[in-house]
Amino acid sequence: MSHAEHAHQSIWQKYIFSTDHKVIGLQYLFTGMFMALLGGFFSYAFRMQMAFPGKDVPLWGLVTAGEYNALITNHGTIMIFWVAMPVLIAALGNFLIPLMIGCDDMVFPRINRLSFQIFFLSAVVLLASFFVPGGAFAGAWTAYPPLSSNPDYSLTPLGSVLWLIAVALEFVAFLLGGINFITTMMNARAPGMKMYDIPILVWMIVIASIVFMASVGPLVAGAVMLLFDQLFAVGFYNPAKGGDPILWQHLFWFFGHPEVYVVLLPAMGIVAEILPVFARKKLFGYKTILYTAIATGTLSMFVWAHHQFVAGIDPRMANVFTITTVLISIPIAEMVFVYIATLYKGSIEFSSAMLFALSFLVTFLLGGVTGIFLGASASDIYFHDTYFVLAHFHFTFVPIAILAVFAGIYYWYPKMFGRMMNETLGKIHFWGTIITFHLIFLPLFYTGAAGDHRRIYNYDNFPDLAKPYMNDLRIIATIALIFMLLFQIPFLYNFVVSWKKGAKAGKNPWNANTLEWTTESPPPHGNWKELPSVYRGPYEYSVPGRASDFWPQNEKA
Amino acid sequence: MSFPQPIATNRSATGIPTGKLAVWWVIGSEIVIFGGLLVSYIMLRLFHSGWDAEAAHTNTWFGAINTFVLLTSSLFVVLAHQAAEAGEEKKAFRLIWLTIGGGAIFLINKAIEWSGEISHGLVMTKSVFWSFYYTACGLHALHVIAGMVIMAIISFDVLKKQHMNRVELIGIYWHFVDIVWIFLFPMLYIAK
Amino acid sequence: MNAHAQSSHTSHYVKIWAILTVLFLISVCGPMLGIKLVTLITAFGIAIVKAYLVAAHFMHLNVEKKYVTYLLLAMVIFMVLLFAGTSPDVMTPGGQNWERIPIPSDSGSTH
């Protein structure tokens, strides 16, 4: 294709069937944002039922018991598989990896496009499951058999099949995308970019892709087995026929727990990119971060059964998994320490991106600490399946999939669209999100510890739990959720309006070092007129003896 | 249709060509897919001593013929790779189609075997052993079909002396499919 | 590659194929002795040897960069890990208040 032909591409070719990594990255981003709105709306509907049971929910209507189950199931599924994964790994990975390592595209552009198309198809299949007879799957995002395998129990004969197919397609999309990320980083780096010159975010996305690839295989096989159970009632997970339902739990969590680290590592990577820029200081301990990330990824393969402490697993294995689970806090804590050390004696600028990055560290720390109670098998027996687990989980996943993603969007928006976002609106958005977030989930730690079980649809049926002070906490959480959702309006407004009306960003608005800031904003097709070479690491800020406080990777001496 | 390759595709910081590197990662991800299925099978097989009697119904000769066919097709595809490297496009084309023929014999043999078993009531729902049998062989057969389709596409590029390196890539994949069968054969047919 | 080197490669590949075929015949004949241990060794021991030969000589892992082998082995080790973590539960016949009866060896032959 010559350059002249390029100019005449139709909108269709340019934005829908493009093979350009930047366009595909934005496609993932917009799909993810749309699904996030949907998942957020679901949480609004079922939280309203929690706070005001049996009343009509505005914009939804009465939440029936079946609908409630379908809503929580799909809230979880969407937020993990169709928000966290596509935005953190696919959107940022596609947009940033070629830009950060200085090449013109991913190594397999057409496989990349195929990956997005399969992902899009999977989202369509999932949404379609809401409109089939019986409604969407309602057996929780973990899909334990027999609830998921037997339509007599789940009452969603088609919904559970579509749900499973959607999840399996999504895995295929990310396997294709992951192979692309890994090979691109391994092979397509700019001349001069050595192993320790690669920006941490790229490392993190690649390590996450490898962990994903190593852990998802058994679940792909397990999904095929579950599909046969659903369609032909064969009994892989049916003990009456010689199968075993615990087998699914193992296959699921063998993937499910590494998945937490699959999304955590890119979030850690975003923070690693943002902190040095707004602290004007070299990232403390590049190699430490890299090696702890590899250690985290490896160790994350050894911890999965801590989700099954009450499932009747072998108590001796519970001991082993308690130890490995508590061990994994070591590399994570080390990473957080390194980030805090980066801030020490820095010259910190509290931009919106920096605020979100810092809030990630604080909230994730809280999420991690509450996880210790759940990783230890003895205390987990009490806390299991309560709102304590739920609050812990959201204290880890909201920083990962929401706070870190917002940090990334505020930071890379100028590169994506060539314009700056409004900082005032950004700060309103930040404080609105972070305060309401704590108001939602801190009360839920308490109600969970007081005995609120996760799977209860209406607490009026449980007089011991329907005490007024417990109800008040649920109402506080629900109202805070409504405000949190409303505080996303300034963000969306900012996002849309800045696209056309924001201040022009120029090549390098943050005075950052990494390669993506050395090209136009937004980068043209092919990214650079002349592809850059690399002469140093990505975090050389405030180097003594230099006039300017940053030192781009591609600058000769 | 020619697609302009980006510069990125032809860079090779590791020294391994990008296509080959990707194939190794594909195989890595396939190992865990088949691995998860076979690990599940082994655990339940060891638990249920009664499955030995179910396995006794599999026909070793069908499995044996298929093992030999796949081993031989592996030889053809590695010779095709050698021919492609030497620039002998006609020889490579012939050998690729011999490999595809091997895959076809494998599938036909499997189809005969399955129709016999199904007509004797040894269907997927009979017991979980048969569920595993059909799932594992079916998943493997899908990989055989995929390999045959890709090889057919590559063979015509090879005739035009384009993308000769892809013969090696599909060869690596085909050997992997062969190795999977090398393990499926004793697990499903020999161990009784 | 000159013609001589090529033909020596060809004979190398044919030799590997011949070894594989012999191994394959042994694995088919192994169960005929009727000794369980021999069957297991001829079935699975030989499968591992065959897989090694195909991987090393046909997939050329013997001349590939070492880390590719390590990568593939790591994936296999993760599967051993999955087995180690899962089998204590899946192969458990019961707990304090429940029982799970394996399908015994004589019930399968009814068809």
Side-chain angles (χ1 to χ4, degrees):
Chain A
M1 201 185 293
S2 73
H3 272 282
E5 274 174 89
H6 243 303
H8 297 294
Q9 276 183 332
S10 68
I11 288 183
W12 198 248
Q13 280 172 317
K14 205 169 167 187
Y15 295 110
I16 309 295
F17 290 105
S18 172
T19 54
D20 188 320
H21 70 99
K22 299 181 288 295
V23 177
I24 294 172
L26 293 180
Q27 285 173 334
Y28 268 115
L29 180 65
F30 290 132
T31 317
M33 281 168 69
F34 170 77
M35 296 302 271
L37 290 175
L38 199 65
F41 176 69
F42 287 178
S43 69
Y44 154 80
F46 65 70
R47 276 312 307 179
M48 287 298 277
Q49 161 66 23
M50 289 282 84
F52 312 106
K55 301 221 169 60
D56 263 2
V57 177
L59 300 176
W60 180 274
L62 191 68
V63 180
T64 65
E67 278 176 6
Y68 176 82
N69 289 338
L71 285 171
I72 57 163
T73 300
N74 286 284
H75 169 77
T77 313
I78 286 176
M79 286 304 197
I80 289 169
F81 292 133
W82 280 274
V83 178
M85 290 287 286
V87 174
L88 274 165
I89 298 192
L92 291 176
N94 269 312
F95 190 86
L96 290 172
I97 287 179
L99 284 170
M100 282 185 145
I101 64 172
C103 61
D104 56 343
D105 206 329
M106 303 294 282
V107 289
F108 303 113
R110 282 182 295 178
I111 290 180
N112 209 14
R113 178 179 60 185
L114 180 68
S115 146
F116 175 74
Q117 286 166 341
I118 295 175
F119 170 75
F120 189 78
L121 181 67
S122 76
V124 172
V125 172
L126 185 80
L127 296 182
S129 76
F130 282 85
F131 303 100
V132 294
F137 179 53
W141 80 284
T142 50
Y144 284 0
L147 199 51
S148 59
S149 62
N150 190 334
D152 293 340
Y153 303 154
S154 68
L155 302 178
T156 54
L158 288 171
S160 36
V161 174
L162 287 180
W163 180 91
L164 193 61
I165 291 173
V167 172
L169 283 175
E170 202 259 5
F171 290 160
V172 173
F174 282 106
L175 278 175
L176 293 175
I179 288 168
N180 225 336
F181 295 153
I182 298 166
T183 43
T184 303
M185 187 201 86
M186 286 179 79
N187 257 355
R189 301 198 298 274
M193 185 178 261
K194 294 188 284 293
M195 198 172 137
Y196 297 124
D197 298 336
I198 301 170
I200 286 290
L201 175 61
V202 178
W203 269 119
M204 293 292 195
I205 291 175
V206 167
I207 295 169
S209 299
I210 295 172
V211 173
F212 176 79
M213 185 187 282
S215 63
V216 81
L219 186 58
V220 172
V224 174
M225 286 151 69
L226 183 58
L227 190 68
F228 288 151
D229 265 17
Q230 290 174 342
L231 295 176
F232 314 122
V234 293
F236 282 117
Y237 303 118
N238 183 353
K241 294 186 175 174
D244 191 348
I246 296 280
L247 176 61
W248 166 267
Q249 298 188 12
H250 277 292
L251 296 176
F252 184 87
W253 289 116
F254 187 77
F255 161 75
H257 200 84
E259 167 72 8
V260 175
Y261 295 92
V262 167
V263 290
L264 167 67
L265 291 178
M268 285 284 195
I270 292 170
V271 176
E273 296 304 320
I274 291 173
L275 291 186
V277 172
F278 293 104
R280 310 309 297 168
K281 196 162 160 279
K282 186 172 178 165
L283 185 68
F284 184 91
Y286 177 101
K287 289 183 188 173
T288 313
I289 296 178
L290 176 57
Y291 291 139
T292 49
I294 293 171
T296 309
T298 313
L299 202 52
S300 75
M301 304 288 292
F302 290 77
V303 300
W304 76 90
H306 65 224
H307 294 269
Q308 297 158 258
F309 285 152
V310 300
I313 65 165
D314 192 324
R316 292 163 304 176
M317 297 307 287
N319 281 345
V320 174
F321 282 105
T322 298
I323 292 167
T324 54
T325 303
V326 178
L327 270 182
I328 206 165
S329 56
I330 294 172
I332 295 294
E334 192 171 335
M335 235 186 266
V336 173
F337 280 133
V338 167
Y339 287 160
I340 294 170
T342 304
L343 298 171
Y344 181 66
K345 286 193 174 171
S347 136
I348 295 172
E349 182 198 341
F350 288 109
S351 66
S352 306
M354 183 67 163
L355 285 172
F356 272 109
L358 292 173
S359 72
F360 167 87
L361 289 183
V362 177
T363 45
F364 187 79
L365 205 63
L366 265 172
V369 168
T370 52
I372 292 172
F373 300 96
L374 306 172
S377 55
S379 50
D380 179 69
I381 288 170
Y382 176 73
F383 284 121
H384 199 93
D385 256 350
T386 66
Y387 270 77
F388 189 91
V389 176
L390 185 141
H392 153 72
F393 174 85
H394 284 84
F395 255 90
T396 58
F397 252 77
V398 172
I400 291 170
I402 307 292
L403 300 180
V405 165
F406 280 137
I409 289 177
Y410 280 104
Y411 182 63
W412 279 293
Y413 188 93
K415 188 47 68 183
M416 288 174 178
F417 302 107
R419 308 251 178 188
M420 306 297 286
M421 285 181 96
N422 183 316
E423 277 292 314
T424 315
L425 283 172
K427 276 168 192 150
I428 293 171
H429 174 220
F430 168 73
W431 290 109
T433 304
I434 197 75
I435 291 170
T436 52
F437 162 72
H438 284 87
L439 284 176
I440 300 171
F441 292 107
L442 287 177
L444 296 185
F445 276 121
Y446 182 78
T447 61
D452 264 14
H453 191 274
R454 288 172 80 169
R455 312 286 183 213
I456 292 174
Y457 153 68
N458 184 344
Y459 285 98
D460 288 349
N461 303 331
F462 297 84
D464 286 342
L465 296 173
K467 299 275 191 318
Y469 61 92
M470 297 279 277
N471 279 336
D472 288 348
L473 288 175
R474 290 181 202 118
I475 291 170
I476 290 172
T478 301
I479 290 172
L481 169 75
I482 294 170
F483 276 100
M484 186 179 180
L485 292 174
L486 290 178
F487 270 112
Q488 306 315 307
I489 293 173
F491 167 74
L492 290 173
Y493 175 82
N494 197 354
F495 192 94
V496 173
V497 171
S498 303
W499 199 335
K500 288 280 170 242
K501 302 222 167 116
K504 287 258 187 215
K507 278 188 177 177
N508 192 356
W510 312 119
N511 292 338
N513 283 348
T514 39
L515 288 176
E516 78 268 28
W517 303 106
T518 62
T519 181
E520 314 292 324
S521 313
H525 193 79
N527 295 346
W528 283 272
K529 287 191 192 72
E530 200 177 328
L531 292 178
S533 295
V534 168
Y535 300 95
R536 66 188 58 75
Y539 304 110
E540 299 296 327
Y541 292 99
S542 307
V543 178
R546 265 182 67 85
S548 97
D549 71 344
F550 67 112
W551 202 355
Q553 281 189 282
N554 67 335
E555 215 170 271
K556 255 187 209 169
Chain B
M1 188 188 83
S2 85
F3 177 82
Q5 277 188 339
I7 295 164
T9 314
N10 295 311
R11 280 186 175 168
S12 180
T14 55
I16 304 177
T18 303
K20 202 166 160 190
L21 192 61
V23 170
W24 289 124
W25 283 106
V26 169
I27 289 175
S29 69
E30 296 272 14
I31 288 176
V32 281
I33 294 177
F34 280 106
L37 189 65
L38 295 182
V39 163
S40 309
Y41 167 71
I42 294 168
M43 285 186 292
L44 288 170
R45 175 80 190 259
L46 293 176
F47 179 67
H48 296 292
S49 51
W51 285 14
D52 289 1
E54 299 278 343
H57 296 298
T58 58
N59 188 326
T60 308
W61 295 112
F62 278 110
I65 292 167
N66 268 350
T67 312
F68 181 71
V69 167
L70 270 195
L71 276 181
T72 312
S73 72
S74 257
L75 174 69
F76 289 146
V77 83
V78 80
L79 292 176
H81 161 213
Q82 195 192 353
E85 255 185 6
E88 301 170 23
E89 73 278 4
K90 294 225 173 77
K91 190 175 170 198
F93 180 82
R94 251 193 333 268
L95 284 162
I96 290 174
W97 276 94
L98 277 173
T99 315
I100 297 175
I105 294 173
F106 176 91
L107 291 174
I108 292 166
N109 190 29
K110 191 127 236 31
I112 297 170
E113 180 193 9
W114 277 17
S115 27
E117 278 158 358
I118 291 168
S119 66
H120 283 88
L122 302 170
V123 292
M124 197 174 196
T125 45
K126 182 172 181 282
S127 83
V128 179
F129 170 80
W130 291 99
S131 315
F132 272 112
Y133 172 81
Y134 285 106
T135 311
C137 291
L139 194 63
H140 178 263
L142 279 181
H143 283 76
V144 172
I145 294 169
M148 287 163 67
V149 171
I150 297 168
M151 265 190 271
I153 295 168
I154 285 176
S155 71
F156 294 105
D157 278 355
V158 167
L159 263 193
K160 286 181 259 168
K161 286 207 150 205
Q162 286 166 354
H163 305 304
M164 297 286 260
N165 64 321
R166 289 184 184 170
V167 179
E168 182 184 8
L169 307 187
I170 189 63
I172 292 173
Y173 170 86
W174 192 258
H175 298 313
F176 169 73
V177 174
D178 186 14
I179 288 177
V180 171
W181 185 259
I182 284 176
F183 284 105
L184 282 180
F185 174 56
M187 277 188 207
L188 296 174
Y189 293 91
I190 297 186
K192 281 176 181 167
Chain C
M1 202 190 305
N2 60 43
H4 176 69
Q6 200 189 339
S7 71
S8 84
H9 272 285
T10 308
S11 64
H12 172 71
Y13 293 134
V14 173
K15 200 169 79 196
I16 296 293
W17 172 80
I19 297 171
L20 284 168
T21 309
V22 171
L23 286 173
F24 152 73
L25 289 174
I26 296 172
S27 70
V28 175
C29 298
M32 290 172 185
L33 291 173
I35 307 164
K36 189 137 195 174
L37 186 68
V38 175
T39 306
L40 285 178
I41 291 171
T42 55
F44 294 99
I46 284 184
I48 291 168
V49 176
K50 282 199 296 193
Y52 167 77
L53 286 175
V54 172
H57 295 279
F58 284 178
M59 294 166 99
H60 296 111
L61 274 173
N62 54 353
V63 290
E64 185 58 274
K65 289 224 164 34
K66 277 281 167 281
Y67 57 79
V68 173
T69 313
Y70 297 148
L71 153 75
L72 300 180
L73 279 180
M75 296 293 182
V76 175
I77 288 168
F78 282 136
M79 289 304 100
V80 176
L81 173 72
L82 175 67
F83 185 89
T86 308
S87 57
D89 299 329
V90 172
M91 293 167 68
T92 298
Q96 278 178 330
N97 302 312
W98 56 282
E99 196 179 7
R100 184 165 150 253
I101 305 156
I103 295 171
S105 50
D106 54 349
S107 74
S109 54
T110 52
H111 72 281

